[in-house]
Amino acid sequence: MEKPPYSESRERAAADADRQAMEEVRASLGEEYEVIRQLGKGAMARVYLAKNRALGVLVAIKVLRQGKAADETARRRFEREARAAASLAEHPNVVAVRHFGRLEPSETPYLVMQYVKGRSMEERLKAEGRLPKEEARQVLAEVTSALALAHGKGIVHRDLRPGNVLWDEEKRRALLTDFGIAAILATGGEEVTRLTKTGQLVGDPRYLSPEQLLDHELTELADMYLLGVLGYELLTGEGPYVARSNTEWITAHLNKEPRNLTELRPDCDPALADMLMRCLSREPNHRPSAATVARAFSDGDQGTAAGLPEPEGLDLVKKNLHWAVAAAGTVGLALFGVAAALADLDFISRKSFEVILIFIVGGFVASLVGAWFHGEKGKQRAPLIEWVLYVLIAVACTVVAVVT
């Protein structure tokens, strides 16, 4: 079937635009870099493979598209990407920015970045399907480790998806890239500047957190929701929801429950599946931090998750355990007093009093378990381990009561 004339015309126009853009880069940077070919392009920028003439090192040069160069918002996003990525250059799982500049004479911004020999996770998923489970776990550990450092510096990526995770074929590691729409939190020591208008969605609806869709205040926990989506795609080749349009994706993120990961991937570690489910909580405060997830994905090996902050410890106050202890203790003491009074009045036997005392202690322990899993605000799912602990407490109380 022949292509319609307008399609051929559009393709020729696009090819001409690509050639003109590359010629501008060569004319402006040719003395320092040998521009070899275009690696790819998106709505915001084109990326070229080049060689540093003095060092003989391959680099990637990212140039803001000509149509965007006159857009103040686009330029500020591009410059923000440079600052964000440069501040994370110490991390082995972040694509490093080497230089920021402007082409002459157009003043078009460009970045010189580390060249990663390999493909993006999006390209790998299309070509290979889902990843082997251990490799998926490695990618998640390394990406989350990079996020932990970014979050510690007050940077929220906001656009975490397979296309922004590169796979280095030579070093067999994942690298996070494209901080183009990253938000700088107030905790990062920089004044926050909104680069999007209220109600304007920036990004692919498949990879937007509920708070992004609702235009609520963003924190680093928005990235953790997107990590949950990424984890599903790496492990299953599919997202956590079934959707066929942007509207359906938005509805799914706001209203639907994620599919059961262990049913989609039966050999998936249940603990990893549970962690990804927690990441997909619609309530940001119920999601784990990047540092916590990175350690979980790397089997607790501190050395495999480079750049992580020091362990956060158990946030007992956040989980309201102090209130749970006070409440359960008060109820337990009240029940103990009632049982003791009944025993003194011979309404119950000594044996019955001891059994009641055993179950009061068991109830106190069970209340602490419940507070640990549900102590934060909002509705939370009960993981399997919680039910297992309840059963063990009940069995232990029964056994002690029988042998007493």
Side-chain angles (χ1 to χ4, degrees):
M1 182 176 179
E2 295 184 2
K3 294 182 179 179
Y6 73 86
S7 177
E8 295 179 355
S9 176
R10 288 179 63 182
E11 288 181 2
R12 285 197 298 271
D16 288 342
D18 287 343
R19 282 193 294 271
Q20 291 174 8
M22 183 178 288
E23 287 307 314
E24 181 185 11
V25 176
R26 283 174 171 159
S28 181
L29 303 179
E31 290 186 8
E32 188 174 358
Y33 298 99
E34 176 191 350
V35 180
I36 301 171
R37 60 183 172 87
Q38 181 173 286
L39 288 173
K41 62 180 178 179
M44 291 287 292
R46 291 181 173 88
V47 181
Y48 303 96
L49 176 65
K51 180 185 288 187
N52 184 300
R53 295 185 186 277
L55 302 176
V57 176
L58 290 176
V59 296
I61 301 179
K62 184 174 184 177
V63 183
L64 189 64
R65 294 187 72 141
Q66 292 171 328
K68 299 289 185 180
D71 185 333
E72 177 65 21
T73 299
R75 289 202 307 273
R76 289 169 65 192
R77 282 185 189 152
F78 199 81
E79 292 171 8
R80 174 165 285 184
E81 175 179 3
R83 294 196 302 273
S87 71
L88 304 174
E90 63 198 82
H91 199 288
N93 300 112
V94 174
V95 175
V97 170
R98 310 296 190 195
H99 177 69
F100 173 80
R102 296 181 182 274
L103 301 178
E104 297 292 344
S106 65
E107 293 293 309
T108 302
Y110 71 90
L111 305 176
V112 179
M113 306 182 298
Q114 169 189 0
Y115 171 61
V116 179
K117 187 176 181 180
R119 296 177 291 175
S120 71
M121 285 297 142
E122 181 178 26
E123 292 169 328
R124 287 196 60 185
L125 289 170
K126 287 180 179 178
E128 306 169 19
R130 68 186 192 183
L131 301 187
K133 62 178 182 179
E134 290 307 320
E135 190 169 308
R137 189 185 190 94
Q138 176 195 342
V139 172
L140 290 169
E142 292 175 343
V143 168
T144 317
S145 174
L147 287 176
L149 179 63
H151 295 169
K153 292 179 177 289
I155 299 171
V156 184
H157 190 283
R158 288 180 48 161
D159 196 25
L160 181 61
R161 52 189 172 87
N164 287 335
V165 179
L166 306 183
W167 180 250
D168 188 330
E169 295 287 356
E170 294 180 342
K171 297 185 178 180
R172 308 297 297 175
R173 64 177 179 177
L175 292 96
L176 183 58
T177 188
D178 200 349
F179 286 82
I181 59 174
I184 311 297
L185 298 179
T187 54
E190 180 176 331
E191 182 181 356
V192 177
T193 303
R194 289 291 301 275
L195 296 185
T196 59
K197 297 178 182 178
T198 301
Q200 177 185 359
L201 295 181
V202 179
D204 187 330
R206 292 176 298 172
Y207 308 107
L208 290 175
S209 67
E211 53 267 42
Q212 287 172 283
L213 293 169
L214 295 172
D215 196 32
H216 290 171
E217 181 182 359
L218 290 188
T219 70
E220 66 278 3
L221 294 171
D223 284 343
M224 303 315 296
Y225 182 90
L226 301 182
L227 184 83
V229 177
L230 175 67
Y232 265 74
E233 294 204 358
L234 296 181
L235 286 161
T236 71
E238 307 171 14
Y241 312 105
V242 177
R244 294 177 294 276
S245 66
N246 288 345
T247 300
E248 289 185 1
W249 275 110
I250 292 172
T251 300
H253 288 307
L254 295 177
N255 300 308
K256 291 187 177 180
E257 293 298 318
R259 293 184 288 174
N260 190 316
L261 183 55
T262 55
E263 291 180 1
L264 297 172
R265 182 75 184 257
D267 63 342
C268 179
D269 178 6
L272 187 150
D274 179 67
M275 184 67 77
L276 291 176
M277 283 289 287
R278 290 176 58 199
C279 288
L280 289 170
S281 172
R282 278 189 283 274
E283 174 57 48
N285 289 335
H286 296 167
R287 301 171 199 156
S289 69
T292 297
V293 176
R295 290 190 181 88
F297 285 165
S298 59
D299 290 323
D301 183 355
Q302 302 284 337
T304 62
L308 286 180
E310 289 301 312
E312 301 171 340
L314 302 180
D315 195 346
L316 304 184
V317 174
K318 183 179 179 181
K319 290 181 176 292
N320 291 314
L321 282 188
H322 55 308
W323 294 115
V325 170
T330 300
V331 172
L333 287 174
L335 292 175
F336 173 79
V338 171
L342 292 175
D344 289 342
L345 295 172
D346 293 328
F347 280 105
I348 60 174
S349 66
R350 182 70 183 177
K351 173 68 174 179
S352 298
F353 172 74
E354 292 174 351
V355 170
I356 291 172
L357 183 59
I358 291 168
F359 280 95
I360 288 175
V361 173
F364 178 78
V365 175
S367 69
L368 296 185
V369 171
W372 176 260
F373 287 102
H374 304 283
E376 299 176 28
K377 294 181 180 179
K379 182 180 179 181
Q380 300 167 45
R381 300 180 184 89
L384 178 60
I385 184 62
E386 181 182 357
W387 293 110
V388 171
L389 290 173
Y390 288 144
V391 171
L392 291 176
I393 292 169
V395 171
C397 290
T398 303
V399 170
V400 174
V402 169
V403 300
T404 299

